[in-house]
Amino acid sequence: MAVNKIWKLREGADAENVRQLSSELGVDPVLAELLVQRGVHTFEQARAFFRPSLDDLHDPFLMTDMDKAVERVHEAVVRGERILVYGDYDVDGTTAVSLVYSFLHNLTRHIDFYIPERYDEGYGVSYKGIDWAAENGFSLIITLDCGIKANEKVEYAREKGIDMIICDHHLPENELPKAVAVLDPKREDCFYPFDDLSGCGVGFKLVQAYSQKYGIPFETLTPLMDLLVVSIASDLVTVVGENRILAHYGLKQLNSSPREGLLAMIQLSGLEPGHLTIDDIVFKIGPRINAAGRMESGRMAVDLLTARSVSDAVRIGNAINEHNNERKNIDRRITQEALEMVESGRRFDKANPKAGGCLSSDKATIVYNPEWHKGVVGIVASRLVEAYYKPTIVFTMSQGGLVTGSARSVHGFDLYDAIESCADLLENFGGHLYAAGLTLKEENIDEFCRRIEKHISGKIIPEMQMPVVDIDTMLNFSQITPKFLRILKQFQPFGPGNSAPVFRTDNVYDNGMGRKVGAEGGHLKLELIQESQPYHHISAIAFNMADYFDHIKAGNPIDVCYCIVENFYRGSSTTQLRVKDLRERDELL
C-alpha cells in the first residue's frame, strides 16, 4: 500500500554566498549551503544561529496588554485572591498550565488549575469550568492555549464577578473578548516581534514579564523551560527566532535536570537521559502526555508535570503510560478497521450502523463508525493519509447524538476551507489548513460528504495527490566526517522552519549485511556503500520498506534520500542514516 513519492531537490543557494560563508566558517560547502537555505547569510548570523542566547529574547512588554495582565496578576497575589489557571487538555495546554501554575504557586497558595474534560466540555473555555470557578470562590481566571474566541464566556464570567486574562496563540476573530487582558501575538494590533509562540510560550512571556517587573531573577524561570520545549515540539510551531532560543535552552534543561514528571516519562519511553531531541518529544514524550486527555483526564497530565516527589511522578507516570498503551491498541484496531472499509469498498449502511463503513474514497477518504473511540480518530485520520495520501475525515458518534469528525489534509490542500464551505451543515468546526475538527447531525452526513467531495474535486490538483520528499542537497558518503557531523548536530533543535536536513546520495549498494527487522520484518537495516567510495560504508534504517529487500539483497544499486541521526544506547553513540525514501536505479532509466 506504499504511496509513490515525488523527490524534489531544493534550488541551489547563491553560489557566491555559499563559497564565502564556507570560507569564513571553515565548513564543508554543503553545510554552508544548508545555512544559506535557512536564511543564514553572514558570519554574524551564523554565530547567532549556532549559539542561541537568552539575551536575544524579546521584551515581553512588547506584547499588547502585557502591562495590564501583569498588574492584574500582581493585584490578585497581593490581595490573596483565588487564581484559577485554565488550559486545554492537549500537550500545549497542559504544559502551559503546569508552567504558569508552578510559577504562581511560589507566590501564592490561593491557586488551583482546571483542565476541561475532552468528552464532556470539549475544547477551550467552558461554562462548566466558569461555574466551578464561581462556586469555589475564584475571582481571576488565566486561560492558556485557549480563550481567544471565548467572547460570550468571558462576559458570562464577568457577570459572576470573575476577571479573565486570556493567553492564547490562535488566530482571533474580528472582535476580541472583553477580558482584563488579551495576550496573543496574532492580534492585529499586537506588534510583538515574533508571532509563532506556542500557547505555553505565551504563558512563559507572562511569567517573564512578571519577573522582570517585580525583580524576580530570570534564573528562577530556567526550571520551567523543560515544559516549554515539550510544548514547542508537540504543538509543531516553527523552531526559528525566539522559539529556537527557547527550545535550545528547554532541551538543555530537559537533558540536564528535568522535573520529576518528565523524568518519569523519559524513563517510561526508554529514552537515553541526557541525549533527548525534539523528535524524542514529538514521538515518545508528547503522545504519552496527550494520552491522559484522550483516554482519561488532562488533569492527570498536569498532576504529573507539577509532581514534587519521585513517588508521585512514578505513580502518575505509570498510569499515563498505561493509558498510552491502551490508546495505541485502540488506534491500531480502529486504523485496521478503517483500512479494511476502504479496501473492501464497504459503504456505510444506516440499517447496520455498528458495522461502520466508507462514505467516500475517491478524492477524499471519509469513514464512519459510531462505535469508534473519539479520542483516537485524529490519529487514525493521520494513518489513513499516510496510506492513501488524500484529504481524510474520520467520523464517530459523540455525546448528544452528534457525529464528530477529525480531519487531516495533504500538503498544499486547504482542508479547513473545504470544511468551511459546508458550514451550514455543521454544528461546530475549528482548526487550520491541514487539521480540523467538526461536529454535525447524523442526518447531514450524506449531504456533507457529497458537497465536500465536490469541493475537493474542484480544488485539488495532481501535484497535491502525491507526497513530496523535499531534499536539501546532494551528498557523497565521503563528506560525512566527524567534523561534518559535529557541525550538523549544532543545526539542532530541528522542527518546522528548521527541519532536519534531507540529503540524497545516488548509486549505493548494501554490503551484503542488510536484513529485515521489526516485529513483522517490515523494516530494513542496511550497511550502505557508495559505488564511488567503496571503502566508506554507513549504517541505515529504512522503515516500512521491506518490499525492496530482494532487489537490494541481490546487489542491485539504489538511490536514497535520508536524514543523518545519532543513536544513543547504553552510553554509546552511533551514526545512522534514517532513510526517507529509496528508488531502484532502473526506475530512473
Side-chain angles (χ1 to χ4, degrees), residues 133-158:
E135 290 163 5
N136 288 277
F138 291 92
S139 55
L140 176 62
I141 296 176
I142 302 172
T143 76
L144 293 148
D145 190 36
C146 62
I148 196 63
K149 298 180 181 180
N151 300 51
E152 294 178 359
K153 281 139 188 187
V154 168
E155 178 61 23
Y156 181 76
R158 190 189 64 78

Side-chain angles (χ1 to χ4, degrees), residues 96-157:
V97 167
S98 300
L99 187 150
V100 174
Y101 174 84
S102 296
F103 175 81
L104 291 178
H105 194 266
N106 290 325
L107 303 177
T108 175
R109 292 297 180 263
H110 306 292
I111 187 167
D112 203 346
F113 62 86
Y114 189 95
I115 305 292
E117 294 297 327
R118 187 185 195 108
Y119 306 114
D120 180 24
E121 298 165 79
Y123 171 79
V125 182
S126 70
Y127 289 110
K128 180 179 177 180
I130 295 170
D131 287 340
W132 187 88
E135 290 163 5
N136 288 277
F138 291 92
S139 55
L140 176 62
I141 296 176
I142 302 172
T143 76
L144 293 148
D145 190 36
C146 62
I148 196 63
K149 298 180 181 180
N151 300 51
E152 294 178 359
K153 281 139 188 187
V154 168
E155 178 61 23
Y156 181 76

Side-chain angles (χ1 to χ4, degrees), residues 63 92 123-125 143-150 165-172 177 181-187 195 197-203 235:
M63 196 175 294
D92 193 17
Y123 171 79
V125 182
T143 76
L144 293 148
D145 190 36
C146 62
I148 196 63
K149 298 180 181 180
I165 294 172
I166 306 294
C167 302
D168 206 344
H169 68 133
H170 297 99
L171 279 171
V182 178
L183 305 181
D184 189 332
K186 291 187 175 70
R187 284 179 58 165
D195 70 354
L197 293 167
S198 65
C200 187
V202 177
D235 216 52

Side-chain angles (χ1 to χ4, degrees), residues 9 12 20 88 110 139 146 168 179 203 205 212 232 264 301 319 335 354 389 435 480 496 512 527 565:
L9 184 65
Q20 182 177 348
D88 191 27
H110 306 292
S139 55
C146 62
D168 206 344
K205 299 308 291 190
Q212 192 171 305
I232 289 169
T335 297
K354 290 187 177 182
Y389 209 70
I480 307 176
E527 291 291 331
V565 298

Side-chain angles (χ1 to χ4, degrees), residues 1-3 335 339 343 381-390:
M1 207 183 328
V3 178
T335 297
L339 289 169
E343 292 298 308
S382 296
R383 301 268 194 271
L384 295 182
V385 171
E386 291 174 8
Y388 303 112
Y389 209 70
K390 297 175 183 178

Side-chain angles (χ1 to χ4, degrees), residues 542-557:
F543 293 111
N544 301 310
M545 298 184 197
D547 289 347
Y548 289 95
F549 179 72
D550 291 339
H551 175 87
I552 294 171
K553 194 67 175 174
N556 294 309

